[in-house]
Amino acid sequence: MNRPVRRAALASVAVALLLGALKAWAALKTGSVAVLASLADSLLDLVASLVTLGGVRWAMQPADAEHRFGHGKAEALAALFQVGVIAVSAFAILLRAIERLSTDQTSTDPEYGIGVSIVAFVLTLALTSYQRSVIRRTRSVAIGADHVHYQSDLLLNGAVIVALVLEGYLGLAGADPLFGIAIAFWLMFGAWRASVEAINQLMDREWPEEKRRRLVEVACGLSGFERLHDLRTRTSGNRDFVQFHIWVDPDMSVAAAHDVVEALERALADEFPGIEVLIHLDPAGQVDDPHNPLVEADESAFLKETKR
């Protein structure tokens, strides 16, 4: 599962290197703000992709004595770094575009900028298609943030082409910096979107309700226990973690109770591959925190009510 993530991170680095070189040449030839903005974005793409690669490699390290839950949150940290990079580049582009609007400068040799932007668009389209296939298989949050970033690049490259055509061939002065401003705000929006999932992982946000319900449904399909409660779920990198309490017969032997837990773990692992499950056994009737519904609410009873 981790090998596709590493290949996707390497592909991002390669694309960022190539596009950075092409756009640097085009920016020198045209003097366009839109092309310069696109170059700045590609150079920051390179930094962000290198951080993503490092984050992915870190996250792939097995659990050790100091990190018994693994290193999956390294992906979320890499994603947040990318968000910072995107926000800084957007602000720089916005300032440059506003400065350009205050002067009468126009772009030169727009054909170079248009040609490079078409190449960048095609390469970015191929990269985002590959990233989507990797995200579907691995749920990597770092590649997800990288994907959001490169999706914004598709719009950015298209906007550069339109801006150069309007200003260079149709004589609409000011089109180039105005497109630069639009690109800057689009990048800020992308940064906000990319930050949401990373923060959710770092804050151990609960799974979506539909996924939690499915877990309870699978667990309650087995016998030997009652009252599933104090269910807690979280995701770290591409791994899911779950813990909950169940009631068992107080007279049940340790061996029999162990069989119940083993059966639950196998069923949940079949439904959620790679999941790590922690199950606490309570003797039937045991109530630890009677005034706390988060702890004592019976998830199996709630499931039955929702099915009526």
Side-chain angles (χ1 to χ4, degrees), residues 201-217:
Q201 281 206 13
L202 291 173
M203 294 297 292
D204 288 335
R205 185 184 176 88
E206 285 290 312
W207 289 357
E209 190 58 28
E210 183 179 345
K211 189 174 178 179
R212 281 173 53 93
R213 289 299 103 205
R214 180 56 188 156
L215 182 136
V216 174
E217 190 174 37

Side-chain angles (χ1 to χ4, degrees), residues 5-10 13 48-58 78:
V5 175
R6 186 170 52 196
R7 283 201 294 261
L10 286 171
V13 172
S49 295
L50 286 171
V51 171
T52 298
L53 180 61
V56 166
R57 290 178 65 87
W58 190 11

